[in-house]
Amino acid sequence: MNISEIEQIAKLAIEKIKTSQLCELENLKTQYLGKNGKITQILKSLSQYSVEEKKLIGASANKVKSTIEKEVENRKDFLNEAILEEKLQKEKADPSQVFAFPFQKGSFHPIMQTIQDISTSFKTLGFSVAEGPEIEDDWHNFEALNIPESHPARDTQDTFYLEGFKNLLRTHTSPGQIHVMKKQTPPVKVIVPGRVYRNEASDASHSSTFHQVEGLSVGENITFKSLKETLAEFVRNFFNLELDLRFRPSYFQFTEPSSEVDIQCFFCKGKGCRICKNSGWIETMGCGMVHPNVFKAVNYDCEKYTGFAFGMGVERLTMLKYGIDDIRLFYENDLRFLKQFSV
Ligand code: PHE
């Protein structure tokens, strides 16, 4: 067998080695280049040749030697790469088979749940639900509600004015009454839930952004008695409990007479705690009989119609119902808190 035949056979043998036979490559190398390898033997036998032959045979044997070495290395690299590729293919995750996270159902925020509960309660009492804008002008938020220009609520300390002082973020849902009355003639029976803003520092019971539900009933025979009955019925319905209500005389420009409504503290059952500031009662609503000046602002006949209005704090009612002692929990979006309200 001449050198080039040996080279051909070696090359073929190297080509045939598969990934599962990687260690065979070393054996093959030994067969040709080892101590007793075919090429080694040729090199060892050079002494029997003439100087000219030595040069020729020696050179081609050395060339084949380095070719085989190179071929073995190349094949090794190729096989190692193939092995890696095979492994990657096998271990590749099929995304269609994997759920990255267990499926979790979303849920309404507790404040939204309370607004829905309040709405349901009032719907059963014959009220409809309306919405008003969060950005109001001075007329809707103050003027039409009989709040004079000099009133402290208009102070920038309490009201977030928008650029130019023409518009503002509504400080209560009462402008909702005005929007409804401008669109509708009596009888009116509506609630207006929504977000309101006040420029004040936040603590366990105050927040600069919170929610109210406004209520308005206008007709020919609406009395303070109707107001008390409506609110008592609502509280019974909302808490599913007999809780006492306390009507304290109060003052609002847009109602006369006016009253503040306290509900017995559901958290401490009237004993006194942090939520009720140790009084046993929680102030949850303002209410009263619609002031004639408000009717005048919306062109309602104040000789013919009377009405009651109320505004309740959604956060306060939610805190009372579920025994929550810090209003800030509603806005921190801590899932440990929110998950307790998922339904
Ligand atoms: N708008 C009043 C407030 O924000 C609440 C209120 C509404 C009082 C309707 C009387 C009638 O405090």
PDB file of all heavy atoms in Angstrom, residues 145 147 171-175 177 196 198 210 212-215 251-255 257-260 283 285-290 308-312, ligand 1:
ATOM      1  N   LEU A 145     -73.822  75.676  43.349  1.00  0.00           N
ATOM      2  CA  LEU A 145     -74.138  75.010  44.620  1.00  0.00           C
ATOM      3  C   LEU A 145     -74.215  76.021  45.758  1.00  0.00           C
ATOM      4  O   LEU A 145     -74.111  75.659  46.926  1.00  0.00           O
ATOM      5  CB  LEU A 145     -73.091  73.924  44.920  1.00  0.00           C
ATOM      6  CG  LEU A 145     -73.172  72.697  44.006  1.00  0.00           C
ATOM      7  CD1 LEU A 145     -71.876  71.902  44.044  1.00  0.00           C
ATOM      8  CD2 LEU A 145     -74.358  71.804  44.420  1.00  0.00           C
ATOM      9  N   ILE A 147     -72.187  78.185  46.775  1.00  0.00           N
ATOM     10  CA  ILE A 147     -70.968  78.400  47.562  1.00  0.00           C
ATOM     11  C   ILE A 147     -70.361  79.735  47.123  1.00  0.00           C
ATOM     12  O   ILE A 147     -69.935  79.884  45.981  1.00  0.00           O
ATOM     13  CB  ILE A 147     -69.947  77.253  47.371  1.00  0.00           C
ATOM     14  CG1 ILE A 147     -70.587  75.909  47.769  1.00  0.00           C
ATOM     15  CG2 ILE A 147     -68.680  77.504  48.192  1.00  0.00           C
ATOM     16  CD1 ILE A 147     -69.725  74.694  47.499  1.00  0.00           C
ATOM     17  N   THR A 171     -63.985  68.968  43.966  1.00  0.00           N
ATOM     18  CA  THR A 171     -63.668  68.722  45.373  1.00  0.00           C
ATOM     19  C   THR A 171     -64.728  67.844  46.022  1.00  0.00           C
ATOM     20  O   THR A 171     -64.570  67.401  47.154  1.00  0.00           O
ATOM     21  CB  THR A 171     -63.576  70.046  46.150  1.00  0.00           C
ATOM     22  OG1 THR A 171     -64.831  70.751  45.981  1.00  0.00           O
ATOM     23  CG2 THR A 171     -62.451  70.906  45.633  1.00  0.00           C
ATOM     24  N   HIS A 172     -65.816  67.622  45.319  1.00  0.00           N
ATOM     25  CA  HIS A 172     -66.885  66.741  45.783  1.00  0.00           C
ATOM     26  C   HIS A 172     -67.720  66.291  44.571  1.00  0.00           C
ATOM     27  O   HIS A 172     -67.516  66.798  43.459  1.00  0.00           O
ATOM     28  CB  HIS A 172     -67.771  67.419  46.847  1.00  0.00           C
ATOM     29  CG  HIS A 172     -68.308  68.772  46.464  1.00  0.00           C
ATOM     30  ND1 HIS A 172     -69.127  69.506  47.277  1.00  0.00           N
ATOM     31  CD2 HIS A 172     -68.145  69.538  45.336  1.00  0.00           C
ATOM     32  CE1 HIS A 172     -69.443  70.655  46.686  1.00  0.00           C
ATOM     33  NE2 HIS A 172     -68.870  70.692  45.507  1.00  0.00           N
ATOM     34  N   THR A 173     -68.625  65.336  44.777  1.00  0.00           N
ATOM     35  CA  THR A 173     -69.439  64.863  43.651  1.00  0.00           C
ATOM     36  C   THR A 173     -70.704  65.705  43.485  1.00  0.00           C
ATOM     37  O   THR A 173     -71.489  65.469  42.570  1.00  0.00           O
ATOM     38  CB  THR A 173     -69.818  63.371  43.822  1.00  0.00           C
ATOM     39  OG1 THR A 173     -70.196  63.137  45.174  1.00  0.00           O
ATOM     40  CG2 THR A 173     -68.663  62.467  43.437  1.00  0.00           C
ATOM     41  N   SER A 174     -70.884  66.722  44.356  1.00  0.00           N
ATOM     42  CA  SER A 174     -72.102  67.546  44.273  1.00  0.00           C
ATOM     43  C   SER A 174     -72.312  68.230  42.912  1.00  0.00           C
ATOM     44  O   SER A 174     -73.463  68.396  42.496  1.00  0.00           O
ATOM     45  CB  SER A 174     -72.131  68.571  45.406  1.00  0.00           C
ATOM     46  OG  SER A 174     -72.145  67.898  46.650  1.00  0.00           O
ATOM     47  N   PRO A 175     -71.251  68.653  42.179  1.00  0.00           N
ATOM     48  CA  PRO A 175     -71.517  69.189  40.842  1.00  0.00           C
ATOM     49  C   PRO A 175     -72.260  68.190  39.956  1.00  0.00           C
ATOM     50  O   PRO A 175     -72.927  68.594  38.990  1.00  0.00           O
ATOM     51  CB  PRO A 175     -70.121  69.520  40.286  1.00  0.00           C
ATOM     52  CG  PRO A 175     -69.139  68.903  41.214  1.00  0.00           C
ATOM     53  CD  PRO A 175     -69.825  68.774  42.533  1.00  0.00           C
ATOM     54  N   GLN A 177     -74.907  66.679  40.814  1.00  0.00           N
ATOM     55  CA  GLN A 177     -76.329  67.062  40.957  1.00  0.00           C
ATOM     56  C   GLN A 177     -76.704  68.081  39.896  1.00  0.00           C
ATOM     57  O   GLN A 177     -77.754  68.011  39.280  1.00  0.00           O
ATOM     58  CB  GLN A 177     -76.561  67.768  42.300  1.00  0.00           C
ATOM     59  CG  GLN A 177     -76.420  66.968  43.552  1.00  0.00           C
ATOM     60  CD  GLN A 177     -76.715  67.882  44.753  1.00  0.00           C
ATOM     61  OE1 GLN A 177     -77.530  68.799  44.672  1.00  0.00           O
ATOM     62  NE2 GLN A 177     -76.059  67.623  45.879  1.00  0.00           N
ATOM     63  N   VAL A 196     -62.907  62.231  43.726  1.00  0.00           N
ATOM     64  CA  VAL A 196     -62.813  63.652  44.053  1.00  0.00           C
ATOM     65  C   VAL A 196     -61.417  63.975  44.606  1.00  0.00           C
ATOM     66  O   VAL A 196     -60.674  63.063  44.980  1.00  0.00           O
ATOM     67  CB  VAL A 196     -63.898  64.066  45.083  1.00  0.00           C
ATOM     68  CG1 VAL A 196     -65.285  63.812  44.535  1.00  0.00           C
ATOM     69  CG2 VAL A 196     -63.708  63.360  46.413  1.00  0.00           C
ATOM     70  N   ARG A 198     -58.861  66.678  46.950  1.00  0.00           N
ATOM     71  CA  ARG A 198     -58.679  67.806  47.874  1.00  0.00           C
ATOM     72  C   ARG A 198     -57.211  67.971  48.208  1.00  0.00           C
ATOM     73  O   ARG A 198     -56.515  66.984  48.454  1.00  0.00           O
ATOM     74  CB  ARG A 198     -59.478  67.577  49.161  1.00  0.00           C
ATOM     75  CG  ARG A 198     -60.949  67.796  48.874  1.00  0.00           C
ATOM     76  CD  ARG A 198     -61.792  67.922  50.088  1.00  0.00           C
ATOM     77  NE  ARG A 198     -63.172  67.670  49.672  1.00  0.00           N
ATOM     78  CZ  ARG A 198     -64.149  67.366  50.490  1.00  0.00           C
ATOM     79  NH1 ARG A 198     -63.924  67.290  51.787  1.00  0.00           N
ATOM     80  NH2 ARG A 198     -65.363  67.163  50.023  1.00  0.00           N
ATOM     81  N   PHE A 210     -59.930  60.714  46.731  1.00  0.00           N
ATOM     82  CA  PHE A 210     -60.802  59.692  47.308  1.00  0.00           C
ATOM     83  C   PHE A 210     -62.100  59.633  46.503  1.00  0.00           C
ATOM     84  O   PHE A 210     -62.173  60.226  45.423  1.00  0.00           O
ATOM     85  CB  PHE A 210     -61.027  59.933  48.805  1.00  0.00           C
ATOM     86  CG  PHE A 210     -61.632  61.269  49.160  1.00  0.00           C
ATOM     87  CD1 PHE A 210     -62.988  61.368  49.500  1.00  0.00           C
ATOM     88  CD2 PHE A 210     -60.869  62.425  49.180  1.00  0.00           C
ATOM     89  CE1 PHE A 210     -63.552  62.591  49.845  1.00  0.00           C
ATOM     90  CE2 PHE A 210     -61.431  63.659  49.519  1.00  0.00           C
ATOM     91  CZ  PHE A 210     -62.771  63.736  49.854  1.00  0.00           C
ATOM     92  N   GLN A 212     -66.503  59.587  46.318  1.00  0.00           N
ATOM     93  CA  GLN A 212     -67.782  59.877  46.966  1.00  0.00           C
ATOM     94  C   GLN A 212     -68.909  59.320  46.110  1.00  0.00           C
ATOM     95  O   GLN A 212     -68.727  59.067  44.918  1.00  0.00           O
ATOM     96  CB  GLN A 212     -68.000  61.391  47.071  1.00  0.00           C
ATOM     97  CG  GLN A 212     -67.125  62.090  48.093  1.00  0.00           C
ATOM     98  CD  GLN A 212     -67.495  63.566  48.234  1.00  0.00           C
ATOM     99  OE1 GLN A 212     -67.968  64.189  47.291  1.00  0.00           O
ATOM    100  NE2 GLN A 212     -67.278  64.109  49.425  1.00  0.00           N
ATOM    101  N   VAL A 213     -70.052  59.143  46.747  1.00  0.00           N
ATOM    102  CA  VAL A 213     -71.264  58.881  45.976  1.00  0.00           C
ATOM    103  C   VAL A 213     -72.262  59.962  46.370  1.00  0.00           C
ATOM    104  O   VAL A 213     -72.586  60.124  47.546  1.00  0.00           O
ATOM    105  CB  VAL A 213     -71.850  57.482  46.251  1.00  0.00           C
ATOM    106  CG1 VAL A 213     -73.194  57.318  45.536  1.00  0.00           C
ATOM    107  CG2 VAL A 213     -70.892  56.392  45.786  1.00  0.00           C
ATOM    108  N   GLU A 214     -72.676  60.709  45.365  1.00  0.00           N
ATOM    109  CA  GLU A 214     -73.652  61.770  45.578  1.00  0.00           C
ATOM    110  C   GLU A 214     -75.036  61.177  45.374  1.00  0.00           C
ATOM    111  O   GLU A 214     -75.212  60.275  44.555  1.00  0.00           O
ATOM    112  CB  GLU A 214     -73.405  62.857  44.518  1.00  0.00           C
ATOM    113  CG  GLU A 214     -74.138  64.133  44.761  1.00  0.00           C
ATOM    114  CD  GLU A 214     -73.465  64.959  45.847  1.00  0.00           C
ATOM    115  OE1 GLU A 214     -72.334  64.635  46.248  1.00  0.00           O
ATOM    116  OE2 GLU A 214     -74.084  65.937  46.303  1.00  0.00           O
ATOM    117  N   GLY A 215     -76.009  61.678  46.123  1.00  0.00           N
ATOM    118  CA  GLY A 215     -77.386  61.223  45.910  1.00  0.00           C
ATOM    119  C   GLY A 215     -78.292  62.435  45.798  1.00  0.00           C
ATOM    120  O   GLY A 215     -78.060  63.456  46.450  1.00  0.00           O
ATOM    121  N   TYR A 251     -73.855  72.158  58.455  1.00  0.00           N
ATOM    122  CA  TYR A 251     -74.062  73.256  57.525  1.00  0.00           C
ATOM    123  C   TYR A 251     -73.392  72.990  56.182  1.00  0.00           C
ATOM    124  O   TYR A 251     -72.193  72.696  56.115  1.00  0.00           O
ATOM    125  CB  TYR A 251     -73.504  74.564  58.122  1.00  0.00           C
ATOM    126  CG  TYR A 251     -73.708  75.737  57.205  1.00  0.00           C
ATOM    127  CD1 TYR A 251     -74.962  76.337  57.088  1.00  0.00           C
ATOM    128  CD2 TYR A 251     -72.668  76.213  56.413  1.00  0.00           C
ATOM    129  CE1 TYR A 251     -75.170  77.382  56.210  1.00  0.00           C
ATOM    130  CE2 TYR A 251     -72.862  77.273  55.533  1.00  0.00           C
ATOM    131  CZ  TYR A 251     -74.118  77.849  55.433  1.00  0.00           C
ATOM    132  OH  TYR A 251     -74.322  78.879  54.565  1.00  0.00           O
ATOM    133  N   PHE A 252     -74.158  73.023  55.151  1.00  0.00           N
ATOM    134  CA  PHE A 252     -73.633  73.032  53.776  1.00  0.00           C
ATOM    135  C   PHE A 252     -74.381  74.132  53.046  1.00  0.00           C
ATOM    136  O   PHE A 252     -75.593  74.311  53.268  1.00  0.00           O
ATOM    137  CB  PHE A 252     -73.878  71.692  53.064  1.00  0.00           C
ATOM    138  CG  PHE A 252     -73.204  70.522  53.728  1.00  0.00           C
ATOM    139  CD1 PHE A 252     -73.933  69.633  54.525  1.00  0.00           C
ATOM    140  CD2 PHE A 252     -71.838  70.300  53.570  1.00  0.00           C
ATOM    141  CE1 PHE A 252     -73.310  68.559  55.142  1.00  0.00           C
ATOM    142  CE2 PHE A 252     -71.206  69.222  54.188  1.00  0.00           C
ATOM    143  CZ  PHE A 252     -71.949  68.348  54.976  1.00  0.00           C
ATOM    144  N   GLN A 253     -73.708  74.834  52.156  1.00  0.00           N
ATOM    145  CA  GLN A 253     -74.368  75.944  51.438  1.00  0.00           C
ATOM    146  C   GLN A 253     -75.495  75.461  50.542  1.00  0.00           C
ATOM    147  O   GLN A 253     -76.440  76.175  50.272  1.00  0.00           O
ATOM    148  CB  GLN A 253     -73.355  76.693  50.551  1.00  0.00           C
ATOM    149  CG  GLN A 253     -72.488  77.652  51.283  1.00  0.00           C
ATOM    150  CD  GLN A 253     -71.367  76.925  51.988  1.00  0.00           C
ATOM    151  OE1 GLN A 253     -71.105  75.759  51.709  1.00  0.00           O
ATOM    152  NE2 GLN A 253     -70.735  77.603  52.918  1.00  0.00           N
ATOM    153  N   PHE A 254     -75.360  74.246  50.054  1.00  0.00           N
ATOM    154  CA  PHE A 254     -76.312  73.770  49.049  1.00  0.00           C
ATOM    155  C   PHE A 254     -77.481  72.988  49.629  1.00  0.00           C
ATOM    156  O   PHE A 254     -78.318  72.477  48.898  1.00  0.00           O
ATOM    157  CB  PHE A 254     -75.582  72.939  47.975  1.00  0.00           C
ATOM    158  CG  PHE A 254     -74.421  72.135  48.525  1.00  0.00           C
ATOM    159  CD1 PHE A 254     -74.577  70.808  48.846  1.00  0.00           C
ATOM    160  CD2 PHE A 254     -73.191  72.744  48.726  1.00  0.00           C
ATOM    161  CE1 PHE A 254     -73.508  70.081  49.357  1.00  0.00           C
ATOM    162  CE2 PHE A 254     -72.116  72.022  49.243  1.00  0.00           C
ATOM    163  CZ  PHE A 254     -72.280  70.696  49.564  1.00  0.00           C
ATOM    164  N   THR A 255     -77.524  72.846  50.961  1.00  0.00           N
ATOM    165  CA  THR A 255     -78.686  72.207  51.594  1.00  0.00           C
ATOM    166  C   THR A 255     -79.137  73.030  52.786  1.00  0.00           C
ATOM    167  O   THR A 255     -78.334  73.678  53.443  1.00  0.00           O
ATOM    168  CB  THR A 255     -78.336  70.765  52.067  1.00  0.00           C
ATOM    169  OG1 THR A 255     -77.108  70.798  52.781  1.00  0.00           O
ATOM    170  CG2 THR A 255     -78.247  69.803  50.904  1.00  0.00           C
ATOM    171  N   PRO A 257     -82.482  72.420  55.750  1.00  0.00           N
ATOM    172  CA  PRO A 257     -81.414  72.228  56.741  1.00  0.00           C
ATOM    173  C   PRO A 257     -80.389  71.200  56.275  1.00  0.00           C
ATOM    174  O   PRO A 257     -80.644  70.436  55.360  1.00  0.00           O
ATOM    175  CB  PRO A 257     -82.195  71.723  57.968  1.00  0.00           C
ATOM    176  CG  PRO A 257     -83.378  71.028  57.398  1.00  0.00           C
ATOM    177  CD  PRO A 257     -83.753  71.785  56.153  1.00  0.00           C
ATOM    178  N   SER A 258     -79.241  71.201  56.953  1.00  0.00           N
ATOM    179  CA  SER A 258     -78.163  70.260  56.611  1.00  0.00           C
ATOM    180  C   SER A 258     -77.875  69.357  57.797  1.00  0.00           C
ATOM    181  O   SER A 258     -78.132  69.728  58.947  1.00  0.00           O
ATOM    182  CB  SER A 258     -76.888  71.011  56.274  1.00  0.00           C
ATOM    183  OG  SER A 258     -77.073  71.877  55.192  1.00  0.00           O
ATOM    184  N   SER A 259     -77.321  68.212  57.491  1.00  0.00           N
ATOM    185  CA  SER A 259     -77.031  67.269  58.545  1.00  0.00           C
ATOM    186  C   SER A 259     -75.813  66.431  58.199  1.00  0.00           C
ATOM    187  O   SER A 259     -75.513  66.212  57.029  1.00  0.00           O
ATOM    188  CB  SER A 259     -78.272  66.383  58.735  1.00  0.00           C
ATOM    189  OG  SER A 259     -78.044  65.460  59.741  1.00  0.00           O
ATOM    190  N   GLU A 260     -75.133  66.020  59.226  1.00  0.00           N
ATOM    191  CA  GLU A 260     -73.996  65.111  59.078  1.00  0.00           C
ATOM    192  C   GLU A 260     -74.518  63.760  59.560  1.00  0.00           C
ATOM    193  O   GLU A 260     -75.209  63.698  60.575  1.00  0.00           O
ATOM    194  CB  GLU A 260     -72.883  65.600  60.005  1.00  0.00           C
ATOM    195  CG  GLU A 260     -71.511  65.175  59.620  1.00  0.00           C
ATOM    196  CD  GLU A 260     -70.876  66.105  58.591  1.00  0.00           C
ATOM    197  OE1 GLU A 260     -70.767  67.311  58.835  1.00  0.00           O
ATOM    198  OE2 GLU A 260     -70.498  65.582  57.532  1.00  0.00           O
ATOM    199  N   GLU A 283     -68.276  59.330  60.871  1.00  0.00           N
ATOM    200  CA  GLU A 283     -68.915  60.310  60.015  1.00  0.00           C
ATOM    201  C   GLU A 283     -68.782  59.803  58.577  1.00  0.00           C
ATOM    202  O   GLU A 283     -67.682  59.608  58.079  1.00  0.00           O
ATOM    203  CB  GLU A 283     -68.120  61.596  60.205  1.00  0.00           C
ATOM    204  CG  GLU A 283     -68.684  62.798  59.587  1.00  0.00           C
ATOM    205  CD  GLU A 283     -67.712  63.973  59.777  1.00  0.00           C
ATOM    206  OE1 GLU A 283     -67.254  64.237  60.914  1.00  0.00           O
ATOM    207  OE2 GLU A 283     -67.404  64.600  58.757  1.00  0.00           O
ATOM    208  N   MET A 285     -71.416  60.651  55.944  1.00  0.00           N
ATOM    209  CA  MET A 285     -72.178  61.363  54.925  1.00  0.00           C
ATOM    210  C   MET A 285     -72.500  62.777  55.363  1.00  0.00           C
ATOM    211  O   MET A 285     -72.608  63.073  56.545  1.00  0.00           O
ATOM    212  CB  MET A 285     -73.543  60.679  54.732  1.00  0.00           C
ATOM    213  CG  MET A 285     -73.461  59.286  54.183  1.00  0.00           C
ATOM    214  SD  MET A 285     -75.136  58.644  53.973  1.00  0.00           S
ATOM    215  CE  MET A 285     -74.937  57.045  54.739  1.00  0.00           C
ATOM    216  N   GLY A 286     -72.699  63.612  54.342  1.00  0.00           N
ATOM    217  CA  GLY A 286     -73.296  64.911  54.556  1.00  0.00           C
ATOM    218  C   GLY A 286     -74.615  64.876  53.815  1.00  0.00           C
ATOM    219  O   GLY A 286     -74.733  64.203  52.783  1.00  0.00           O
ATOM    220  N   CYS A 287     -75.616  65.549  54.334  1.00  0.00           N
ATOM    221  CA  CYS A 287     -76.901  65.517  53.620  1.00  0.00           C
ATOM    222  C   CYS A 287     -77.769  66.713  53.998  1.00  0.00           C
ATOM    223  O   CYS A 287     -77.393  67.523  54.854  1.00  0.00           O
ATOM    224  CB  CYS A 287     -77.642  64.214  53.919  1.00  0.00           C
ATOM    225  SG  CYS A 287     -78.163  64.070  55.626  1.00  0.00           S
ATOM    226  N   GLY A 288     -78.902  66.815  53.371  1.00  0.00           N
ATOM    227  CA  GLY A 288     -79.829  67.887  53.705  1.00  0.00           C
ATOM    228  C   GLY A 288     -80.861  68.072  52.612  1.00  0.00           C
ATOM    229  O   GLY A 288     -80.898  67.321  51.631  1.00  0.00           O
ATOM    230  N   MET A 289     -81.700  69.092  52.810  1.00  0.00           N
ATOM    231  CA  MET A 289     -82.727  69.413  51.814  1.00  0.00           C
ATOM    232  C   MET A 289     -82.151  70.434  50.841  1.00  0.00           C
ATOM    233  O   MET A 289     -81.533  71.428  51.268  1.00  0.00           O
ATOM    234  CB  MET A 289     -83.972  69.992  52.509  1.00  0.00           C
ATOM    235  CG  MET A 289     -84.602  69.060  53.542  1.00  0.00           C
ATOM    236  SD  MET A 289     -84.999  67.416  52.892  1.00  0.00           S
ATOM    237  CE  MET A 289     -86.359  67.806  51.784  1.00  0.00           C
ATOM    238  N   VAL A 290     -82.332  70.182  49.566  1.00  0.00           N
ATOM    239  CA  VAL A 290     -81.721  71.032  48.529  1.00  0.00           C
ATOM    240  C   VAL A 290     -82.100  72.508  48.735  1.00  0.00           C
ATOM    241  O   VAL A 290     -83.276  72.851  48.888  1.00  0.00           O
ATOM    242  CB  VAL A 290     -82.136  70.569  47.116  1.00  0.00           C
ATOM    243  CG1 VAL A 290     -81.485  71.464  46.043  1.00  0.00           C
ATOM    244  CG2 VAL A 290     -81.741  69.112  46.899  1.00  0.00           C
ATOM    245  N   PHE A 308     -83.978  66.175  48.448  1.00  0.00           N
ATOM    246  CA  PHE A 308     -82.872  65.957  49.397  1.00  0.00           C
ATOM    247  C   PHE A 308     -81.631  65.551  48.614  1.00  0.00           C
ATOM    248  O   PHE A 308     -81.709  65.072  47.473  1.00  0.00           O
ATOM    249  CB  PHE A 308     -83.230  64.931  50.486  1.00  0.00           C
ATOM    250  CG  PHE A 308     -83.451  63.502  50.030  1.00  0.00           C
ATOM    251  CD1 PHE A 308     -82.393  62.691  49.606  1.00  0.00           C
ATOM    252  CD2 PHE A 308     -84.741  62.941  50.072  1.00  0.00           C
ATOM    253  CE1 PHE A 308     -82.595  61.377  49.220  1.00  0.00           C
ATOM    254  CE2 PHE A 308     -84.956  61.614  49.687  1.00  0.00           C
ATOM    255  CZ  PHE A 308     -83.881  60.836  49.251  1.00  0.00           C
ATOM    256  N   ALA A 309     -80.486  65.788  49.244  1.00  0.00           N
ATOM    257  CA  ALA A 309     -79.212  65.388  48.637  1.00  0.00           C
ATOM    258  C   ALA A 309     -78.320  64.819  49.721  1.00  0.00           C
ATOM    259  O   ALA A 309     -78.470  65.146  50.905  1.00  0.00           O
ATOM    260  CB  ALA A 309     -78.541  66.589  47.979  1.00  0.00           C
ATOM    261  N   PHE A 310     -77.443  63.949  49.322  1.00  0.00           N
ATOM    262  CA  PHE A 310     -76.453  63.433  50.286  1.00  0.00           C
ATOM    263  C   PHE A 310     -75.160  63.129  49.535  1.00  0.00           C
ATOM    264  O   PHE A 310     -75.151  62.958  48.305  1.00  0.00           O
ATOM    265  CB  PHE A 310     -76.966  62.172  51.007  1.00  0.00           C
ATOM    266  CG  PHE A 310     -77.372  61.054  50.074  1.00  0.00           C
ATOM    267  CD1 PHE A 310     -76.435  60.162  49.568  1.00  0.00           C
ATOM    268  CD2 PHE A 310     -78.713  60.888  49.726  1.00  0.00           C
ATOM    269  CE1 PHE A 310     -76.818  59.137  48.716  1.00  0.00           C
ATOM    270  CE2 PHE A 310     -79.105  59.858  48.871  1.00  0.00           C
ATOM    271  CZ  PHE A 310     -78.158  58.982  48.359  1.00  0.00           C
ATOM    272  N   GLY A 311     -74.069  63.111  50.286  1.00  0.00           N
ATOM    273  CA  GLY A 311     -72.779  62.733  49.699  1.00  0.00           C
ATOM    274  C   GLY A 311     -72.064  61.856  50.697  1.00  0.00           C
ATOM    275  O   GLY A 311     -71.916  62.236  51.860  1.00  0.00           O
ATOM    276  N   MET A 312     -71.668  60.665  50.254  1.00  0.00           N
ATOM    277  CA  MET A 312     -71.010  59.758  51.201  1.00  0.00           C
ATOM    278  C   MET A 312     -69.596  59.427  50.748  1.00  0.00           C
ATOM    279  O   MET A 312     -69.287  59.435  49.559  1.00  0.00           O
ATOM    280  CB  MET A 312     -71.829  58.483  51.387  1.00  0.00           C
ATOM    281  CG  MET A 312     -72.130  57.714  50.129  1.00  0.00           C
ATOM    282  SD  MET A 312     -73.156  56.270  50.480  1.00  0.00           S
ATOM    283  CE  MET A 312     -74.761  57.003  50.691  1.00  0.00           C
TER     284      MET A 312
HETATM  285  N1  PHE B   1     -70.550  67.642  49.079  1.00  0.00           N
HETATM  286  C1  PHE B   1     -70.488  67.475  50.500  1.00  0.00           C
HETATM  287  C2  PHE B   1     -69.048  67.147  50.900  1.00  0.00           C
HETATM  288  O1  PHE B   1     -68.270  66.844  50.060  1.00  0.00           O
HETATM  289  C3  PHE B   1     -71.386  66.367  50.951  1.00  0.00           C
HETATM  290  C4  PHE B   1     -72.833  66.669  50.753  1.00  0.00           C
HETATM  291  C5  PHE B   1     -73.471  66.242  49.606  1.00  0.00           C
HETATM  292  C6  PHE B   1     -73.556  67.355  51.703  1.00  0.00           C
HETATM  293  C7  PHE B   1     -74.817  66.515  49.406  1.00  0.00           C
HETATM  294  C8  PHE B   1     -74.900  67.606  51.541  1.00  0.00           C
HETATM  295  C9  PHE B   1     -75.518  67.195  50.389  1.00  0.00           C
HETATM  296  O2  PHE B   1     -68.717  67.186  52.059  1.00  0.00           O
END
